[in-house]
Amino acid sequence: MYSFDFLRPTTLAEAAEALARDEALALGGGQTLIPTLKQRLASPSVLVSLGAIAEMKGICRNDAGQICIGGGTTHATVAAELAESYPAMAALAGQIGDPAVRNRGTIGGSLANNDPAACYPAGVLGSKSLIVTNTREIAVDDFFQGMFTTDLESGEIITEVRVAVPDRANYQKFVQPASRFAMVGVFVAQYSDGVRVAVTGASQDGVFRWTEAEAALSAHFDASALDGLSVAADDLIADLHGSAEYRAHLIKVMTARAVKAA
Amino acid sequence: MPKDHGVGASSKRREDIRFLTGRGRYTDDVNQFGQTYAVFARSDVAHANIRSIDTSAAEAMPGVVAIFTGEDFKDVGGNPAGWLINSRNGEPMREPKRPVLAHGKVRHVGDAYAAVIAETYAQARDAVEAIVVDFEELPALVDMAASLADTTVRVHDELPDNQCFDWGWIEDNRTKVDEAIRNAPHVTTLHLVNNRLVPNAMEPRASIGEYDPGTGDYKLTTTSQNPHLTRLLVAAFVMGIPEHKLTVIAPDVGGGFGSKIYHYGEEALVLAAARKLGRPVKWTAERNESFLTDAHGRDHVTKIELACEKDGTFIAFRTETMANVGAYLSNFSTATPTFLHGTLMAGNYKVPNVYVNVKAVFTNTAPVDAYRGAGRPEATYSLERVIDKAARELGIDPVAIRRMNFIQPDQFPYTTPVGLQYDVGNYDATMDKLLEISDAAGFEARRAEAASRGMLRGLGINSYIEACGIAPSHLVGQLGARVGLFDAATVRVNATGNISVMTGAHSHGQGHETAFAQVVAGMLGIPEASVDIVHGDTSKIPFGMGSYGSRSLAVCGSAIVKATDKIIAKAKKIAAHMLEASDGDIELKDGRFSVAGTDKGLDWGAVCLSAYVPHNYPLTELEPGLEETAFYDPANFTYPSGAYACEVEVDPDTGKVKICSFAAADDFGNIVNPMIVDGQVHGGIGQGIGQALLEAAAYDDMGQLVSGSFMDYAMPRADDLPFYQVDHSCQTPCTHNPLGVKGCGEAGAIGSPPAVVNAVIDALQRGGMAHVTHIDMPLSPARVWAAMQG
Ligand SMILES: Cc1cc2nc3c(=O)[nH]c(=O)nc-3n(C[C@H](O)[C@H](O)[C@H](O)COP(=O)(O)OP(=O)(O)OC[C@H]3O[C@@H](n4cnc5c(N)ncnc54)[C@H](O)[C@@H]3O)c2cc1C
C-alpha cells in the first residue's frame, strides 16, 4: 500500500464532502479495494470509509412494495434477510465469495465496482431496480456501462438499491474454478409484464440483458422456449478458463437451468 | 486393538498443538534487534538486456541503507546444479551461471535485478519503485519446441539451441527397443502434457541474514527443507564463506513440497547485505513473488508408445519428452526429468524393452524443479494413461491388462530395463485391496443411477510404483549426483533418562516430531513424551541431507535406529557393570534392564544417571555419558507401490467433473504412525486431484504468468475433494532398512492424476464419445466440454 489519509464519517453529507477532495476514494467493505491497494494498483490521497454511516445500512420495504437495500448493506445481511421476501436475490448474495467476504462486502461496493464477473450486477439488472445515490436516482438499465464502468460520477455514493420483487426468479452461477467469481452467471426474473434475463461473467462489456431470451421466455416461460436461440460468441470473454464459444454455450445452459429452478 | 504407543500407534501429532494454536515460529515470526528489510526489484518482462540500472533516486529515499545490483555479485559464484547429466553424445549438460541478482540480462518475469535494504519494509518497497531500469526487450521463449528450434533468440547467449541436455536412458538399448516396437503386433501412441504447477506452500519463502563483525560468524534463518544443504550451497559455492562460520536455521516451515529444497539468490543477498551493514536483513516473499519465483513443478511434453501383443502382453515402452527447466538450472532440476523419471518407466510391469529420451529446454520462465513426487508423477502419468488407452484399443479390461503384466511376488528382486532393482512388492495384493475398498463391483449400479440423473459416470484405475527413500549415495553418485544422500541422527540421553534426538531430516508438516519419537521410545520401552526431536539448526544437528523424496523415515529414521542401537549397546554395558553381570546377559524390555534368567534388574533412568554421575562406573572400559551419532546410507531406493481408483461424474452440459470417490491401496511396507500416513496420502491425493482438474501455471506468448495469483491459479479446496478410502494394510516391508519402511509422502501425488484422467475418459467413452481418447490436464470444464464437441 501507499500511504493515505483515512476518514470514517458518520453522515452521508460528511462523506460526500470528504469524497470531493482530490484523489479521494470511497471504501465500502474493502473486499475489492483493499487487495487493490495492497498491490499498489490504486493510490488514493484519502480513503473515506462508508462503514459508519447508519443511514446506508439495512433493508426495508417502501410503500410501493419495493425492497430497499442500503448501499452499505453486506452480502451476508442480504442473504439472511431476503431469504423469505426475495429468495433468488438472497441465494445470489449467499454464493458470493466466502463468509469473510460476505460479512464485509457491500452491495454498493459491488455495483460501483461493476466487475464483469460479479454476481450483483446480474441480480440487480435482472430485477427491475433503481440505483439511488446521494444526488439522484439512476434506472438500472442506464447504470452499467461496460466492465468496471458505471454511470456514477466521481465521488457519487450509492446509498440504496430499490428492487421490485418478481413473481419468480433464479440465479445460476457457473464458477470460474480459481476465483469462484461467475464464469457465467444468469439471473432470470419473471414479472407480470415480462421476463428479464441478465448475464454476468461472460461479456467483455460486462453485465448485459439477453433480450432474445427475454422475448422468448416472456411468451412462454419454459426452458424449451430457448431451444432455437443462441448467443453470439463475438464479444464474449476468452481466457485461461474458457473460450468465448464455451461461455456462449454456458449462457444458454445456465439460462435454461435458471428457468427450470425459478 | 489399535496400538496406543510406539511403532504402529496413531499417536496424535504433538507439533499440531503449536501449529493449531498459532504458536508455530516461522521465519517471518523471527525479528532481530536492529533488523532492516530487503525488497527486490523484479523484472516485469520475460526477456531483456539490461542497458542500465539507475539507483540514484532510490538511494535518496527515506530509510534506504543500501542497494545491490547484479554488478555487486558478478565475482561470486553461481547457484550450482546439483546433478550432472550427460547427453546421448557424451557431452556434459550445459550449466549457465545462475547469479544472485541478474547481471546483463533478465530471463524471466520475476527475475530479480536489484535489491533495496531499508529501515522499514514500506520504505524498501517505495524505494524499489524509484529504481530506473532501462531494458532492451527481447522476444520471449515460452514454448519448448520453439525454444529448441530457435537459434536467434537465446535464453543464455552462449547456448545456441536453448538445450540443456539430450539424454537417453538407456542409450545402449535404443536400437533394440526401436526394433521391438517396429515388429510389435500392436502399438498405442499417446501425446500428453504434464502440466506445470506452482508449489504454493502456505508459508511464502523468507530469509533473515545476520553477521557478527566481532566473530565473523554468519547466521541465516530461512525457509528450507534441508539446512545443511543450503549451508553448503550458499557458503561454499556462492558466497565463499567458510562453512563453519555459517549457521543455517530452518525453524517451523509451512510446507515446501520441494520448492524449499533449493537454495535461492535471496538467501545469498540477505547474507551479503548483513555483512555489508553489520545489521540483520530480513526478506519475506509476497504471494506474487512466490508465484513468479518459487521453483515450479512438472512441465513435460511427452510422446509415449506402448508396444504389446494382441493379448495385451507388454513388449516395449518408448518415450520422447521435452522437460522445461525454465530460465536457470535450479539445484535438482536436471535430476527430476531424468533419474527420477526415466528410471521409473518400467512401472510395475515386466516389460523387456524400455527407452526414454528427455530433452531439457531453457525457456524464459521460472526455474522448474522437483515438486511432490518429482519425475515419478510424470512417469506414472505417461505409463498409466497409455496403458489405459491400449486396453481400450485392444478391448481388454484395464485391471486385467495391468495384472497380466505385473511383476510377480516371486520375481523379486527384479531388475528393470531402466536400471533399478525393485527389492520387494506385491502388486496384485494392492489391486485386490483397491477393488474391495472402492467397491468396484458396485460401479455399474452407481453408473446407472448417475445416468438416470443425466450424469456421465466413469471409473479410472491405475497402479503406480515410485523410487523413494532418496537415496543410496553409491547409486546416485554413478548417476551424476554431486551430493551424497545419506542421513544422520544424534541420540542424546540426558542424566534423567529423557532424550533429545537431533536429526538431519527436516519436518515441514510431515510430523517427524511425533513419528521419530515413536521409533525411539518404542525401541527403548520408555514413554514417547520422554523423547524430543530437534531438527532444522545446523549448530545443533549432525550433517544431514534434509527432507524430500519420501526419505525422512526410510533414511533418517534408519540413522535414528542405528544411533539408538548404539545407545542400547552402551547402556547394556553400563547396566552389566552395575548389575555385576556380563553384557551379553543383559536384556532391555519395557524400559528396564534385567539379567537374563534372574530377577535382578535396573530401570532405564538408573543406568542413564550413572552414565552422567559416574561415581561407580567402569571408566576404564567405557566413557561416561550416553550420546551416540549414526550416519546411514541406504543400499537401495525403497519402492512404495499401490493401486488407485477414482470415480467421477461429468456433467454433459457443461463439462464439469465432480470427483465422487477416491480410493488408495498403498504398500508402504511397515507403518510407524497410521494416522500420519493417512494424512500424507490425503494431502498427496489432494495435490494430484489439483493437478488433474484445476492447477495450471500458464504463461502467455510474452512470458507473462497468466495464472499469477489465486484469482486465476485454481488451488483445490475442501469441496473439490471427496472423502478418501485409504488403506495401507498390504505390507511388503522394505528388505534393506531396519524399519522395513518405504516412505509415503509423495505416493498420493504420484498415483492419483492418472486415476482421475482415466476416470473422465472412461465416463466420456461410456457416454458414447468414442472420439475422446485423451484430454490434457487440468481437465477444466472448458477443456472437457471442448473435447466432447470433437
Ligand atoms: C475472495 C473473494 C471472493 C469474491 N467472490 C465474489 C463473487 O463470487 N461474486 C461477486 O460478485 N463478488 C465477489 N467478490 C467481490 C466482493 O463481492 C466485493 O465485496 C465487492 O465486489 C465490492 O464490495 P465492497 O463493499 O467490498 O467494496 P470496496 O472493495 O470497498 O470498494 C469497491 C469499489 O467501489 C467503491 N465503492 C464502495 N462502496 C461504494 C458506494 N456505496 N458507492 C459508490 N462507490 C462505492 C469503492 O470506492 C471502490 O472503487 C469477492 C471478493 C473476494 C475478496
Side-chain angles (χ1 to χ4, degrees), chain A residues 26 28-33 50 75 97 105-106 109 112 118-119 158 173 180-181:
Chain A
Q31 296 304 293
T32 297
L33 188 50
L50 307 176
H75 310 335
T106 64
C119 301
I158 298 176
K173 179 182 185 183
R180 296 200 175 178
F181 275 65

Side-chain angles (χ1 to χ4, degrees), chain A residues 25-35 50 56 71-72 75 95-98 101 104-113 115 117-121 152 156-159 173 179-182, chain B residues 711:
Chain A
L25 261 187
L27 176 69
Q31 296 304 293
T32 297
L33 188 50
I34 299 288
L50 307 176
M56 279 180 62
H75 310 335
Q95 288 175 59
I96 294 176
D98 50 47
V101 170
R104 297 289 311 173
T106 64
I107 189 168
S110 178
L111 296 178
N113 194 48
D115 188 308
C119 301
Y120 265 132
L152 291 175
E156 194 172 356
I157 302 167
I158 298 176
T159 55
K173 179 182 185 183
S179 71
R180 296 200 175 178
F181 275 65
Chain B
M711 291 298 278

Side-chain angles (χ1 to χ4, degrees), chain B residues 415-433:
Chain B
T415 303
T416 73
V418 271
L420 293 179
Q421 192 186 69
Y422 301 162
D423 60 338
V424 67
N426 187 342
Y427 309 141
D428 276 310
T430 46
M431 185 59 85
D432 291 342
K433 180 53 82 177

Side-chain angles (χ1 to χ4, degrees), chain B residues 140 265-266 300 341 350 415 443 492 534 587 616 645 649 670 678 708:
Chain B
E266 291 89 352
H300 286 194
H341 164 245
K350 40 185 194 222
T415 303
F443 170 72
R492 176 178 299 157
V534 178
E587 291 169 350
N616 172 20
E649 282 180 16
N670 294 334
D678 283 353

Side-chain angles (χ1 to χ4, degrees), chain B residues 536-555:
Chain B
D537 183 339
T538 58
S539 67
K540 294 180 180 162
I541 61 172
F543 195 116
M545 295 304 290
S547 290
Y548 40 82
S550 306
R551 71 191 305 273
S552 301
L553 189 61
V555 186

